Amino acid sequence: MNTDATQQAPGTGWWTEAVIYQVYPRSFADSGGDGIGDLPGITSRLDHLAELGVDALWLSPFYPSPQADAGYDVADYRDVDPLFGTLADADKLIAEAKARGLRVIVDLVPNHTSSAHRWFTEAVAAAPGSPERQRYVFRDGKGPDGAEPPNDWVSVFGGPAWTRLPDGQWYLHLFDSGQPDLNWDNPEVRAEFLDVLRFWLDRGVDGFRVDVAHGLIKQADLADWQEPQEILSGSEVDKPRPPMWDQDGVHEIYREWRRVLDSYPGERILVAEAWVEPAERLARYVRPDEMHQAFNFEYLLAAWTAPAQYAVITRSLEATDSVGAPTTWVLSNHDVVRHASRLGLGTASGRANGVGVDDPQPDAALGLRRARAASLLMLALPGSAYLYQGEELGLPEHTTLPDEARQDPTWARSGHTERGRDGCRVPIPWEADAPSYGFGPTDASWLPQPSTWAEYALDRQRGVPGSTYELYRTALRLRREHALARGPLRFLSSGDEVLTFTNGDLTVLTNFGADPAPLPAGAQVLVSSAPLDDDAVPTDVTVWFRVV
């Protein structure tokens, strides 16, 4: 087989080749000792990101919030929650990052606000039909006395997607009841977020990761939807889409946002968190006048087999090439089981939403072996890559987190049937022998850290040949040196057991089969995810090499 998968990566902006590192503020570094990570803590650890070799960091929400959903319920889009610091701390973080050559992307949550947001408190106090309620999705209920919800939609977190006020009207919340959905058909809502964009652009941020980017516009009739409430929109291009997801009207919003970003110097970017399938529909979000990037969740969820990896890589590249956009690659984030555990659950991609002590436990050694191979495969692909904090340490999911410690609203709203996302959000370890493994100056930690965390600590891995941290550093350096983000990529084999492709002057081979895969004569190995078996690549290993 000899198949071109892509041409040179489209465009010339920095984002087309970037490796972007997600920082989950409450779990990265705690400067104050209260057990919650904060902005000064992040600033104190920026040297780690520079030494690792990433190009930018993306900050999950740090805005004022009741924390009903870990900050994704925003009460004020123009300030910093005291939990995390102050606006001055944000300004310092941005400046210190830039001094190290790091760009800063911040989260923006436009689908919903917090119920503590000034707008929503005004809406609750106002009468049905008032301008204040027009900022949100309020409806009368069904039935003679309006006691039934306006439709049958359910929350992504479980339970109904509607909550009734004492005056009888219902408001929509596709997530927690403390996250009322905004009405994006209202010009006032659109104008407000244009101003929010400018507020943070003026402070020097380099872009926005847009939460639930596919959810802002709802089908006008709010029609019932008999299918299970899923955040993905289906596997066929022409399949009917859920009335709450991926409506065509969202694209008009992002065209307007793009014009705002383009008016600023320095190549500011928009990144869509759009849980949309298939890749052809996701590509609509990254047309030339809309977003710059969109997360490739189809890749994240792909099974660990050669055919599945080949299919999702080729499909992703073809879809983004069709609109002249770079492809993105991601294996872990704050919403899914860490891939060092997910890939230890078997050949399938594994559960995306939590593993508990009573669930089948991942094989830790197998998971880490596959995670290292998957990361090395991902970092060899043309386009932009996203890393989630701690994956460079090989961190697994906390799969034995006590149920009483869980804080994710999914846990409560699902009636304790979904474990939720806390297991991937546990504060990360920096020093093996320090309190809270160096997360903060005390033993305090907002989620309990596993007793095994010491073996993953950064100070146990820095400078240690073969460690996961040094594997990432080497891969990121070679990725830059060999311009792997630019391509072109050409598949040499895509059978049931081995995936092989060339990217520029390197060849990349991942062995999914049971038997070692021989390297060609004259192969000069640059990096391998695990030791080789003489001149052969063992099972669940990725290797980058040149033939000399």
Side-chain angles (χ1 to χ4, degrees):
M1 180 178 186
N2 198 343
T3 304
D4 287 329
T6 185
Q7 301 302 311
Q8 265 336 69
T12 58
W14 65 270
W15 66 90
T16 64
E17 303 178 13
V19 176
I20 300 172
Y21 185 102
Q22 180 188 359
V23 172
Y24 194 71
R26 63 173 49 228
S27 299
F28 193 67
D30 168 24
S31 70
D34 62 357
I36 299 175
D38 47 45
L39 299 187
I42 297 169
T43 302
S44 74
R45 295 288 187 178
L46 287 175
D47 285 341
H48 167 67
L49 302 186
E51 292 168 6
L52 182 61
V54 301
D55 302 292
L57 61 149
W58 148 39
L59 297 168
S60 292
F62 50 79
Y63 309 108
S65 166
Q67 306 296 320
D69 182 24
Y72 282 90
D73 49 319
V74 179
D76 184 349
Y77 291 88
R78 297 176 181 83
D79 206 348
V80 173
D81 195 295
L83 275 176
F84 304 124
T86 65
L87 270 176
D89 292 327
D91 292 338
K92 183 177 180 181
L93 192 164
I94 294 167
E96 292 288 338
K98 291 182 182 298
R100 291 163 175 79
L102 298 167
R103 297 177 185 265
V104 178
I105 297 169
V106 298
D107 236 312
L108 187 62
V109 187
N111 179 71
H112 46 262
T113 71
S114 167
S115 57
H117 191 283
R118 174 179 60 84
W119 274 9
F120 193 73
T121 59
E122 290 172 354
V124 171
S130 62
E132 291 82 0
R133 291 204 177 181
Q134 292 302 313
R135 297 165 175 161
Y136 294 89
V137 183
F138 279 89
R139 293 291 186 275
D140 294 328
K142 291 182 178 179
D145 55 358
E148 299 175 18
N151 63 25
D152 64 357
W153 296 3
V154 296
S155 164
V156 171
F157 291 160
W162 296 90
T163 291
R164 197 179 193 191
L165 296 181
D167 62 22
Q169 273 209 317
W170 299 75
Y171 69 88
L172 176 68
H173 50 88
L174 291 178
F175 295 87
D176 189 76
S177 57
Q179 295 168 289
D181 278 49
L182 287 161
N183 171 21
W184 274 88
D185 293 322
N186 186 332
E188 188 178 2
V189 172
R190 300 196 180 205
E192 168 70 2
F193 276 85
L194 293 176
D195 191 71
V196 169
L197 292 175
R198 294 187 181 100
F199 178 87
W200 289 104
L201 291 168
D202 289 341
R203 302 192 91 87
V205 304
D206 296 285
F208 303 88
R209 175 266 192 188
V210 183
D211 185 64
V212 196
H214 61 307
L216 276 57
I217 298 294
K218 281 70 174 176
Q219 191 170 301
D221 60 1
L222 301 183
D224 285 346
W225 179 249
Q226 301 299 324
E227 303 296 325
Q229 168 65 300
E230 295 179 352
I231 206 162
L232 292 172
S233 66
S235 60
E236 299 174 11
V237 175
D238 297 324
K239 181 179 179 179
R241 295 187 303 285
M244 70 292 291
W245 302 134
D246 193 27
Q247 300 298 302
D248 290 339
V250 298
H251 299 288
E252 177 187 339
I253 295 168
Y254 301 135
R255 291 187 188 101
E256 190 171 19
W257 288 15
R258 178 64 178 265
R259 290 192 290 272
V260 171
L261 266 70
D262 285 348
S263 71
Y264 281 78
E267 297 182 321
R268 318 295 178 98
I269 71 168
L270 293 168
V271 183
E273 186 219 24
W275 286 86
V276 173
E277 288 187 347
E280 291 82 356
R281 285 206 65 85
L282 183 62
R284 299 183 184 197
Y285 288 78
V286 290
R287 289 176 288 195
D289 59 346
E290 295 188 43
M291 300 275 195
H292 297 78
Q293 292 184 339
F295 289 151
N296 189 347
F297 294 118
E298 187 178 6
Y299 178 77
L300 183 152
L301 296 172
W304 182 245
T305 67
Q309 294 289 311
Y310 171 75
V312 72
I313 291 168
T314 53
R315 188 162 55 244
S316 299
L317 291 170
E318 289 168 358
T320 51
D321 281 355
S322 71
V323 294
T327 309
T328 65
W329 313 101
V330 60
L331 289 168
S332 284
N333 64 34
H334 66 292
D335 283 333
V336 300
V337 173
R338 286 183 176 272
H339 66 285
S341 293
R342 193 172 71 242
L343 295 174
L345 290 168
T347 56
S349 58
R351 293 184 62 181
N353 191 5
V355 177
V357 66
D358 297 327
D359 295 317
Q361 294 295 296
D363 181 324
L366 176 65
L368 180 57
R369 182 180 182 87
R370 287 180 170 175
R372 287 164 58 103
S375 297
L376 204 55
L377 171 60
M378 177 186 78
L379 291 171
L381 297 172
S384 180
Y386 281 79
L387 308 180
Y388 178 48
Q389 65 179 40
E391 72 169 82
E392 75 277 18
L393 306 176
L395 283 189
E397 187 86 355
H398 190 346
T399 61
T400 58
L401 188 71
D403 286 344
E404 61 270 18
R406 297 187 183 278
Q407 299 188 34
D408 189 341
T410 301
W411 171 240
R413 290 186 61 85
S414 68
H416 296 173
T417 59
E418 286 289 346
R419 297 290 178 179
R421 301 159 293 177
D422 294 313
C424 67
R425 299 176 174 183
V426 176
I428 65 175
W430 297 95
E431 290 94 32
D433 300 319
S436 63
Y437 303 113
F439 166 64
T442 69
D443 286 322
S445 173
W446 74 280
L447 285 173
Q449 299 162 298
S451 60
T452 57
W453 239 222
E455 67 185 85
Y456 297 100
L458 176 64
D459 67 347
R460 292 275 181 93
Q461 299 194 49
R462 182 186 280 125
V464 178
S467 70
T468 302
Y469 171 72
E470 293 298 342
L471 174 69
Y472 270 75
R473 283 195 71 199
T474 300
L476 291 173
R477 173 178 58 80
L478 292 171
R479 185 179 187 271
R480 287 192 304 274
E481 291 177 359
H482 293 269
L484 299 184
R486 300 179 188 176
L489 182 148
R490 175 175 294 181
F491 281 99
L492 303 179
S493 67
S494 59
D496 291 336
E497 297 184 345
V498 176
L499 189 68
T500 310
F501 58 83
T502 61
N503 185 347
D505 65 339
L506 292 191
T507 302
V508 178
L509 185 154
T510 302
N511 184 12
F512 298 85
D515 299 321
L519 288 173
Q524 179 189 60
V525 174
L526 278 71
V527 64
S528 176
S529 64
L532 302 184
D533 184 2
D534 293 325
D535 292 325
V537 181
T539 302
D540 293 325
V541 173
T542 296
V543 61
W544 298 0
F545 63 92
R546 290 186 297 190
V547 177
V548 296

